[in-house]
């Protein structure tokens, strides 16, 4: 148990639709990152939110957007869904620190999205 | 651009033996390295990490080795147990940056 919860766990959408995925971060964690994991691949960084602002983005188009709320929970929104968007979407939370030990991120169990 | 590579998609070892999982990276800005374990239908679980100022970090049966000159790290599991069977992901990030890059994973099977 990492304390990171995601919803929904599974969903099916039609190409062209929009989807919103939700994440509650671990208590005390102020940073949320979203990852996409396609079958047979490692997680791919989508973006990160810190203090309700986007704080880094991977190689994903603008139709992938997000929000972070004052309680540090977060949403991932994907517009104009494409078949290739079918994947496991992982939320991860962490604490932004200046520690030399680096920032360990803790994942939720993910939301499986199928686009048909 | 695949900045973190795990070239072995699978590994099978006998219970009680050592499991060695390897990972290579290309970005010299990476300062922090982690291993995650993933069971089916679950999110990745943090296992062990190492910062670039060290070359070894040990936690129970798990040891991570970092060779900065070769841009290579490895995870040793001794002794391996059937419950260790999972997909292992290597990850790396620049210091104090959560833009973590993952390898494609290695599926470890530990046979009783």
């Amino acid at each position: 148990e990492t304390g990171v919860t995601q919803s929904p766990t599974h969903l099916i959408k039609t190409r062209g639709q929009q989807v919103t995925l939700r994440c509650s971060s671990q208590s005390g964690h102020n940073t949320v990152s979203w990852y996409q994991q396609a079958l047979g691949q490692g997680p791919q960084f989508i973006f990160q939110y810190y203090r309700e602002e986007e704080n880094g983005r991977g190689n994903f188009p603008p139709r992938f957007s997000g929000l972070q709320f004052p309680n540090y929970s977060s949403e991932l929104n994907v517009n104009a869904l494409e078949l290739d968007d079918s994947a496991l979407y992982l939320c991860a939370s962490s604490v932004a620190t200046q520690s030399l030990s680096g920032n360990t991120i803790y994942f939720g169990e993910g939301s499986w999205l199928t686009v048909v | 651009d695949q900045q973190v590579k795990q070239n072995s998609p699978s590994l099978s070892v006998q219970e009680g033996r050592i499991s060695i999982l390897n990972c290579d990276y290309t970005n010299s800005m990476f300062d922090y390295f982690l291993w995650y374990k993933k069971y089916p239908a679950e999110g990745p679980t943090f296992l062990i990490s190492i910062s670039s100022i060290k070359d070894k970090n040990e936690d129970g049966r798990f040891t991570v080795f970092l060779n900065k000159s070769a841009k290579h790290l490895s995870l040793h599991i001794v002794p391996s147990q059937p419950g260790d069977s999972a997909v292992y992901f290597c990850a790396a990030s620049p210091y104090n940056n959560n833009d973590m890059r993952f390898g494609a994973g290695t599926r470890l099977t530990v046979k009783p």
Side-chain angles (χ1 to χ4, degrees):
Chain A
E1 286 290 330
T2 63
V4 180
T5 58
Q6 292 187 242
S7 63
T9 54
H10 295 81
L11 72 166
I12 300 173
K13 289 284 189 178
T14 303
R15 188 171 51 182
Q17 283 188 316
Q18 179 265 347
V19 68
T20 296
L21 307 177
R22 296 179 175 82
C23 173
S24 294
S25 57
Q26 186 179 123
S27 176
H29 284 189
N30 55 14
T31 302
V32 174
S33 303
W34 284 91
Y35 287 79
Q36 180 196 67
Q37 185 178 9
L39 279 175
Q41 297 182 21
Q44 301 293 314
F45 176 70
I46 303 175
F47 44 56
Q48 176 196 112
Y49 277 80
Y50 172 64
R51 292 185 175 177
E52 302 176 50
E53 292 192 359
E54 189 177 288
N55 182 39
R57 188 179 183 93
N59 189 26
F60 280 82
R63 59 189 185 85
F64 286 77
S65 63
L67 285 172
Q68 186 183 31
F69 301 99
N71 66 355
Y72 304 132
S73 65
S74 177
E75 287 182 355
L76 164 66
N77 298 290
V78 187
N79 294 322
L81 283 167
E82 301 176 359
L83 297 179
D84 285 348
D85 295 333
S86 297
L88 175 67
Y89 287 85
L90 294 161
C91 169
S93 74
S94 60
V95 180
T97 72
Q98 298 295 325
S99 167
L100 282 176
S101 64
N103 295 328
T104 299
I105 63 174
Y106 297 90
F107 286 93
E109 298 197 352
S111 294
W112 282 100
L113 171 64
T114 302
V115 182
V116 297
Chain B
D1 63 342
Q2 202 169 359
Q3 299 183 35
V4 178
K5 295 182 181 180
Q6 294 176 256
N7 291 321
S8 297
S10 64
L11 173 68
S12 181
V13 300
Q14 207 66 37
E15 181 178 5
R17 297 291 190 97
I18 184 172
S19 296
I20 300 177
L21 297 99
N22 293 303
C23 177
D24 297 293
Y25 62 95
T26 58
N27 190 338
S28 58
M29 297 299 291
F30 288 146
D31 267 307
Y32 189 54
F33 305 88
L34 309 90
W35 286 93
Y36 285 82
K37 179 170 72 172
K38 187 178 185 302
Y39 293 117
E42 295 184 9
T45 303
F46 170 70
L47 197 55
I48 192 170
S49 64
I50 188 168
S51 72
S52 61
I53 61 174
K54 294 185 176 181
D55 53 20
K56 177 182 175 182
N57 188 28
E58 192 171 351
D59 183 3
R61 297 186 297 113
F62 302 91
T63 303
V64 56
F65 294 92
L66 175 63
N67 182 335
K68 290 185 287 295
S69 61
K71 294 190 175 65
H72 177 83
L73 67 156
S74 61
L75 174 68
H76 292 208
I77 307 174
V78 181
S80 301
Q81 300 173 353
D84 296 329
S85 297
V87 177
Y88 289 77
F89 291 101
C90 166
S93 73
Y95 167 65
N96 203 28
N97 183 329
N98 283 335
D99 178 5
M100 206 161 284
R101 303 300 172 117
F102 285 78
T106 296
R107 180 176 300 279
L108 173 66
T109 303
V110 180
K111 298 180 179 177

